[in-house]
Amino acid sequence: MVTEPHFSRVRDDAATAAVCDLLKQRFDDRFTTGASFREQHGHTTTNLKNQMPDGVVFVKNTQEVSDVVTLCNEHDVPVIAFGTGSSLEGHLNAPFGGISIDLSQMNAVVEVHPEDLNCTVEAGVTRKQLNDYLRDTGLFFPIDPGADASFGGMAATRASGTNAVRYGTMKDNVVSLKAVMPDGKIITTASRAKKSSAGYDLTRLLVGSEGTLGIITEVTLKLSGIPQAIAGGMCGFPDLESACNATIMTIQCGIPIARIELLDVMQIRACNLYSKLDLVERPTLLVEFHGTETGVAEQIELFGEIVADCGGSDFQSASRAEDRTKLWTARHDAYWASHELRPGAKGISTDACVPISRLAECVTQTQQDLEDNGFVATTVGHVGDGNFHVLLLLDPESPAEQEKADAFLSRLAHRAISMGGTCTGEHGVGQGKMKYMLEEFGPALAYMVAIKKAIDPKNIMNPGKMLPNLG
Amino acid sequence: MVTEPHFSRVRDDAATAAVCDLLKQRFDDRFTTGASFREQHGHTTTNLKNQMPDGVVFVKNTQEVSDVVTLCNEHDVPVIAFGTGSSLEGHLNAPFGGISIDLSQMNAVVEVHPEDLNCTVEAGVTRKQLNDYLRDTGLFFPIDPGADASFGGMAATRASGTNAVRYGTMKDNVVSLKAVMPDGKIITTASRAKKSSAGYDLTRLLVGSEGTLGIITEVTLKLSGIPQAIAGGMCGFPDLESACNATIMTIQCGIPIARIELLDVMQIRACNLYSKLDLVERPTLLVEFHGTETGVAEQIELFGEIVADCGGSDFQSASRAEDRTKLWTARHDAYWASHELRPGAKGISTDACVPISRLAECVTQTQQDLEDNGFVATTVGHVGDGNFHVLLLLDPESPAEQEKADAFLSRLAHRAISMGGTCTGEHGVGQGKMKYMLEEFGPALAYMVAIKKAIDPKNIMNPGKMLPNLG
């Protein structure tokens, strides 16, 4: 593997200015260098510093993306894809400047093939938009990250959400991608066939590549049938460990549970405040079952027995759609609700994922860590996958708190990795978790760098993200 | 992307002799240059010419694989990984000579984590061996290619089989890999966590890479719970189209069918001859349902209605394990059974996969093509995935038949690709389907070549396979 001297990037002001001029000529008012647009496109919901791009271009189709990338490649100027801006790890920042390519206007559903259970959407389509569009087909797309993210962003960060325990992540639900590569060429990674043994899996190489190898412009998605019956509910536990154990047993018993979410005491308190609920403040599992009427009834019965075995409260089933919606809305609002616990605080969200056998241990140690360090924080988890989130509520004016938080985040990543897990189950690496990549991947990291260098030799694609510079 | 002059390989007899000497010293009687071993390791069950490696080394652990690869890399000599030799597309041939690394003695189950529903096996473990080993755990590994293949080979060719419609392919069931890379370094591609958003998906880059990027030495596999209830059965149809339509409706209705296999008239005739059965000779679906007792009963009822709607015969359910085994043994023996139709003939097996909406059309056109050209042939299919196989029975002494067969294979690949499908659903590319790669992938193929060149710059890893030389 050859180290190319170009790989460590330096900012070239003249080249950037030239590109901006050319983009202005070509895109007119769809290209802007206005500070507010630039700031919004470097926006992070995190503690990472905003690093603005030099300009923002609003594209309408794949060919335009190709034209912008070709131009930037010629002038050696970075490009950063932008969907809805819901990244939590600084994926959208422009540490070396460059052009933010905003794909939000590429928001057409290109085609739906109900008979093949798939559809193709432009990268700017959001998950809620697609599910509204599909409403009359009896099909839906199950993956639901916290934000109403765009499919380009969801694919690029290998997103998942509350349904992943049953339906998998973006890795499992993307059939094929259209992407613009660093040299401006447009590729389609795979056919619409349900499976193939032909060639390297470029689809899954781009899924999770965070815009560092190519810009995803269309996504062909696997769809699922809306289940005949949906039921859900909640139950409380005396401690986090019991809740985790109930989760582990549920997965081991092969119950095809659709959602199993853990909320800790602090999160329940926050939800009560924010969503005007009166839930008992204790570790709580929020669950949902999908299937036929009898299948769901069987699942509920089995799950109820497990909950009882683990010392949980009576499992309250909510089969009325209205009640379920209320509970799940509270869960989806968990991030915002948490801010009620410390008004004016800045929320820093992180995630980790471990083999489910280590989940109770990892969550318990993490809770102890939070307590030892006096953080105001909430923990929620897609615990059926061994994945959990911690939201720290920090005084935005306190460098000391920030420093303590950084140390905590680092301990959490190390803890997850040392338990055979990963520093991120679904948020991605971005800028925030680059420092854990070598620890997590060891010698494998060098091959990721080799791939990056081969496909993007000038390092124009979202530089300064995911891969620490090993060159 | 730089074209390296080295990429087109030429055979170096002196280097090969030097490597053979060194391997003999190091591995003694675990290294052989005997013609029968070499021939067996270049063995193909196809019409492709046997191209023997220069020597065969029987390795016992990952470090030994690393040592062999390091040596071959230093001397610029090809390495070809060998598991059980069940490839159908010439993956194991040595067109440029080199060393066959036989991993069949790496056959230990390394660890089983029932609580995490996964296990780690050495590359030489076969699927039947693992399922025997797991017998008392209540778990099983569902993917079942026709042969009792090794997990290294199954991962390397992105294999699947009859259960894929419910359980997915190797792409979906490999959690992580240990592999020896072309420079001899040993990597682990991912943690044991159920999901991760960290880094490029090297796991799925290696799955399906056919030994061209690295040699897989350990595989961590997702396991599934043995279903509480299994039922299966069969039903006949007046024509192939009705059978395909029943399949499409079954998938669309969301019936979580575990297996749905199509056998054409010729295949049923062959099975009757070979397995001493007396099945009615008509297009037939062989199905299996997994679930709870009531879940399976529900699936059977729904499926029965679909069959009736499509003009199928009464669905015969076989819930006795003994009856099911008999049917599925006949299905698994289909390849050998086909030879009964033309004793002394040579069987050439191919596969293709299309979106399920095009399945009836693709199968029907292919049957017409077979008939128009007077082939003796059988068609079977994992039709729930849109994947089907044709086995041509050819006179091994007739170049004319062989030529006609090549033209047929080519038409089939083009037909599948033109219908939005792939030239191979599960057999892989190897040597046989390299010529369709550009048609299937277009500009995307260049990025596969770029990855290959970056990771294996000397092109020592299974050269002359999968990627046509675009350099």
Side-chain angles (χ1 to χ4, degrees):
Chain A
M1 285 169 293
V2 184
T3 302
E4 292 168 46
H6 204 105
F7 203 64
S8 298
R9 162 158 289 288
V10 283
R11 193 186 150 76
D12 181 340
D13 286 331
T16 307
V19 162
C20 286
D21 280 350
L22 290 163
L23 288 174
K24 189 74 202 168
Q25 285 168 37
R26 163 76 196 270
F27 289 94
D28 195 22
D29 62 355
R30 287 196 287 130
F31 177 74
T32 175
T33 53
S36 64
F37 280 104
R38 290 165 55 212
E39 190 178 342
Q40 186 232 335
H41 282 73
H43 176 70
T44 73
T45 44
T46 69
N47 56 329
L48 296 161
K49 201 178 68 180
N50 188 317
Q51 297 167 309
M52 295 191 292
D54 293 288
V56 180
V57 59
F58 294 85
V59 289
K60 296 206 181 230
N61 54 53
T62 300
Q63 188 56 53
E64 287 188 352
V65 176
S66 169
D67 293 348
V68 175
V69 171
T70 301
L71 182 72
C72 287
N73 188 42
E74 279 166 13
H75 289 79
D76 201 0
V77 163
V79 288
I80 300 141
F82 185 98
T84 62
S86 54
S87 153
L88 290 168
E89 291 293 351
H91 294 92
L92 302 169
N93 260 344
F96 306 102
I99 305 301
S100 176
I101 302 182
D102 185 313
L103 293 108
S104 61
Q105 293 177 24
M106 286 183 65
N107 62 354
V109 176
V110 179
E111 50 185 25
V112 179
H113 294 275
E115 67 287 10
D116 293 317
L117 302 183
N118 65 41
C119 72
T120 300
V121 299
E122 288 186 325
V125 171
T126 69
R127 62 177 183 86
K128 287 184 185 169
Q129 182 195 343
L130 178 62
N131 281 331
D132 283 346
Y133 187 96
L134 293 173
R135 189 163 286 165
D136 299 329
T137 63
L139 301 172
F140 80 119
F141 185 75
I143 300 179
D144 64 337
D148 186 21
S150 67
F151 283 106
M154 286 169 66
T157 53
R158 206 182 291 131
S160 47
T162 65
N163 283 310
V165 60
R166 180 177 175 126
Y167 296 93
T169 74
M170 286 303 278
K171 152 177 91 58
D172 308 297
N173 288 280
V174 173
V175 175
S176 172
L177 295 169
K178 186 178 280 189
V180 173
M181 302 305 278
D183 52 10
K185 289 213 179 74
I186 299 166
I187 68 167
T188 299
T189 56
S191 76
R192 280 204 309 113
K194 215 176 136 194
K195 66 184 192 184
S196 173
S197 276
Y200 299 155
D201 192 344
L202 295 182
T203 309
R204 263 143 291 272
L205 183 65
L206 287 176
V207 169
S209 66
E210 304 188 354
T212 64
L213 295 176
I215 294 182
I216 295 166
T217 60
E218 282 186 18
V219 188
T220 298
L221 298 161
K222 180 176 157 187
L223 300 174
S224 294
I226 294 175
Q228 181 195 323
I230 299 178
M234 62 191 307
C235 48
F237 290 85
D239 49 52
L240 278 171
E241 200 172 348
S242 319
C244 288
N245 286 338
T247 306
I248 294 173
M249 285 174 68
T250 302
I251 300 299
Q252 275 174 34
C253 286
I255 300 177
I257 199 161
R259 292 167 148 174
I260 182 161
E261 296 286 304
L262 174 68
L263 292 80
D264 78 344
V265 174
M266 293 297 279
Q267 186 63 63
I268 294 289
R269 186 172 303 159
C271 289
N272 280 340
L273 288 168
Y274 185 81
S275 303
K276 317 286 175 241
L277 299 169
D278 54 358
L279 308 173
V280 183
E281 289 181 7
R282 58 188 174 188
T284 298
L285 286 178
L286 198 54
V287 296
E288 193 168 276
F289 305 98
H290 294 178
T292 60
E293 294 287 352
T294 51
V296 162
E298 281 182 337
Q299 293 181 53
I300 289 177
E301 194 187 331
L302 254 171
F303 181 71
E305 286 169 19
I306 291 171
V307 169
D309 281 353
C310 293
S313 69
D314 278 358
F315 171 63
Q316 306 286 327
S317 169
S319 50
R320 286 202 317 163
E322 190 186 317
D323 296 342
R324 279 205 318 277
T325 301
K326 199 169 158 191
L327 285 178
W328 287 104
T329 302
R331 167 64 191 89
H332 266 297
D333 290 339
Y335 176 83
W336 300 111
S338 298
H339 290 74
E340 296 280 329
L341 297 175
R342 195 178 181 190
K346 175 172 185 156
I348 303 295
S349 177
T350 192
D351 88 313
C353 188
V354 293
I356 198 167
S357 59
R358 308 298 296 272
L359 178 66
E361 193 183 351
C362 195
V363 170
T364 307
Q365 286 186 18
T366 303
Q367 289 271 318
Q368 189 63 50
D369 190 345
L370 289 169
E371 198 180 311
D372 291 349
N373 288 280
F375 284 112
V376 180
T378 55
T379 300
V380 297
H382 312 313
V383 283
D385 293 322
N387 182 206
F388 65 98
H389 301 267
V390 177
L391 184 73
L392 299 173
L393 292 152
L394 305 178
D395 177 352
E397 306 303 327
S398 164
E401 278 198 26
Q402 185 57 61
E403 203 176 305
K404 227 168 59 167
D406 286 342
F408 166 82
L409 293 175
S410 181
R411 285 193 301 276
L412 174 53
H414 295 321
R415 186 178 301 129
I417 293 168
S418 72
M419 289 185 181
T422 171
C423 68
T424 174
E426 58 181 24
H427 288 182
V429 176
Q431 295 178 310
K433 290 190 167 167
M434 232 172 8
K435 54 182 171 289
Y436 313 123
M437 289 290 280
L438 187 57
E439 179 181 351
E440 181 161 336
F441 289 102
L445 184 59
Y447 300 92
M448 297 185 196
V449 173
I451 291 166
K452 165 74 173 170
K453 288 181 178 176
I455 291 185
D456 181 21
K458 288 187 178 175
N459 192 18
I460 64 162
M461 287 270 161
N462 208 4
K465 313 293 166 65
M466 188 198 282
L467 298 171
N469 193 345
L470 301 183
Chain B
M1 286 167 293
V2 183
T3 302
E4 293 168 45
H6 205 106
F7 203 64
S8 299
R9 162 158 288 288
V10 284
R11 193 185 151 77
D12 181 338
D13 286 330
T16 307
V19 161
C20 287
D21 280 351
L22 289 163
L23 288 174
K24 190 73 202 168
Q25 285 168 38
R26 162 77 195 271
F27 290 94
D28 196 22
D29 63 355
R30 288 197 285 131
F31 176 75
T32 175
T33 54
S36 64
F37 280 104
R38 290 165 54 212
E39 191 178 341
Q40 187 232 335
H41 282 73
H43 176 69
T44 73
T45 44
T46 69
N47 56 330
L48 296 160
K49 200 177 69 179
N50 188 317
Q51 297 167 308
M52 296 191 293
D54 293 289
V56 180
V57 59
F58 294 86
V59 290
K60 295 204 181 227
N61 55 55
T62 299
Q63 187 56 53
E64 287 189 351
V65 176
S66 168
D67 293 347
V68 174
V69 171
T70 301
L71 183 71
C72 287
N73 187 43
E74 279 166 14
H75 289 79
D76 201 359
V77 163
V79 289
I80 301 141
F82 185 98
T84 62
S86 54
S87 153
L88 290 168
E89 292 293 351
H91 295 92
L92 303 168
N93 261 344
F96 306 102
I99 305 302
S100 176
I101 302 181
D102 185 313
L103 293 108
S104 61
Q105 293 179 24
M106 287 183 64
N107 61 354
V109 176
V110 180
E111 50 186 26
V112 178
H113 293 275
E115 68 286 11
D116 294 316
L117 303 183
N118 65 42
C119 72
T120 300
V121 299
E122 288 185 325
V125 171
T126 69
R127 64 179 183 85
K128 287 184 184 169
Q129 182 194 341
L130 178 62
N131 281 330
D132 284 346
Y133 187 96
L134 293 173
R135 190 163 285 166
D136 299 329
T137 62
L139 301 172
F140 79 119
F141 184 75
I143 300 178
D144 64 337
D148 186 21
S150 67
F151 283 106
M154 286 168 67
T157 54
R158 206 181 293 131
S160 48
T162 65
N163 283 309
V165 60
R166 180 179 175 123
Y167 296 92
T169 74
M170 286 302 279
K171 152 177 91 60
D172 308 298
N173 287 278
V174 173
V175 176
S176 172
L177 295 169
K178 187 179 278 188
V180 173
M181 302 305 278
D183 52 10
K185 289 214 179 74
I186 299 165
I187 67 166
T188 300
T189 55
S191 76
R192 281 204 309 111
K194 216 176 137 196
K195 66 183 193 184
S196 173
S197 276
Y200 299 154
D201 192 344
L202 295 182
T203 309
R204 264 144 290 273
L205 182 64
L206 287 176
V207 168
S209 66
E210 304 188 355
T212 64
L213 296 176
I215 294 182
I216 295 165
T217 61
E218 281 186 17
V219 189
T220 298
L221 297 161
K222 179 176 158 188
L223 301 174
S224 295
I226 295 174
Q228 182 194 322
I230 299 178
M234 61 192 305
C235 48
F237 290 84
D239 48 51
L240 277 170
E241 200 173 347
S242 320
C244 289
N245 287 337
T247 306
I248 295 172
M249 285 175 67
T250 303
I251 301 300
Q252 275 174 33
C253 287
I255 300 177
I257 199 161
R259 292 166 149 173
I260 182 160
E261 295 287 305
L262 174 69
L263 293 80
D264 78 345
V265 175
M266 292 298 279
Q267 186 63 64
I268 293 290
R269 186 173 302 161
C271 288
N272 280 340
L273 289 168
Y274 185 81
S275 303
K276 316 288 177 238
L277 299 169
D278 53 357
L279 308 173
V280 183
E281 290 181 6
R282 58 186 174 189
T284 298
L285 287 178
L286 198 53
V287 296
E288 193 167 276
F289 305 97
H290 293 178
T292 61
E293 295 287 351
T294 50
V296 163
E298 281 181 337
Q299 293 180 53
I300 289 177
E301 195 187 330
L302 253 171
F303 181 71
E305 286 168 18
I306 290 170
V307 170
D309 282 352
C310 294
S313 69
D314 278 359
F315 171 63
Q316 305 286 326
S317 167
S319 51
R320 287 201 318 163
E322 191 187 316
D323 296 341
R324 278 204 318 277
T325 303
K326 199 168 156 191
L327 284 178
W328 286 104
T329 303
R331 168 62 190 91
H332 267 297
D333 289 340
Y335 176 83
W336 300 111
S338 298
H339 289 74
E340 296 280 328
L341 296 175
R342 194 178 182 189
K346 176 172 186 159
I348 303 294
S349 178
T350 192
D351 88 313
C353 189
V354 292
I356 199 167
S357 59
R358 308 297 296 271
L359 179 66
E361 192 183 352
C362 195
V363 170
T364 307
Q365 285 186 17
T366 302
Q367 289 271 319
Q368 189 64 49
D369 189 346
L370 290 168
E371 200 181 310
D372 291 348
N373 288 279
F375 285 112
V376 180
T378 56
T379 300
V380 297
H382 312 313
V383 282
D385 293 321
N387 182 207
F388 65 98
H389 301 267
V390 177
L391 185 74
L392 300 173
L393 293 152
L394 304 177
D395 176 353
E397 307 302 329
S398 165
E401 279 197 23
Q402 185 57 60
E403 203 177 305
K404 226 168 60 169
D406 286 342
F408 167 82
L409 293 175
S410 181
R411 284 193 300 277
L412 175 53
H414 296 320
R415 186 178 301 129
I417 294 169
S418 72
M419 290 184 181
T422 171
C423 67
T424 174
E426 57 181 25
H427 289 181
V429 176
Q431 295 178 309
K433 290 189 167 167
M434 229 169 13
K435 54 182 170 289
Y436 312 123
M437 288 290 281
L438 186 58
E439 180 180 351
E440 182 161 336
F441 289 102
L445 184 59
Y447 301 92
M448 297 185 196
V449 174
I451 291 166
K452 166 74 174 171
K453 287 181 178 176
I455 291 186
D456 182 20
K458 289 186 178 176
N459 192 19
I460 65 163
M461 287 271 160
N462 208 6
K465 312 294 166 63
M466 188 199 281
L467 298 171
N469 193 344
L470 301 185

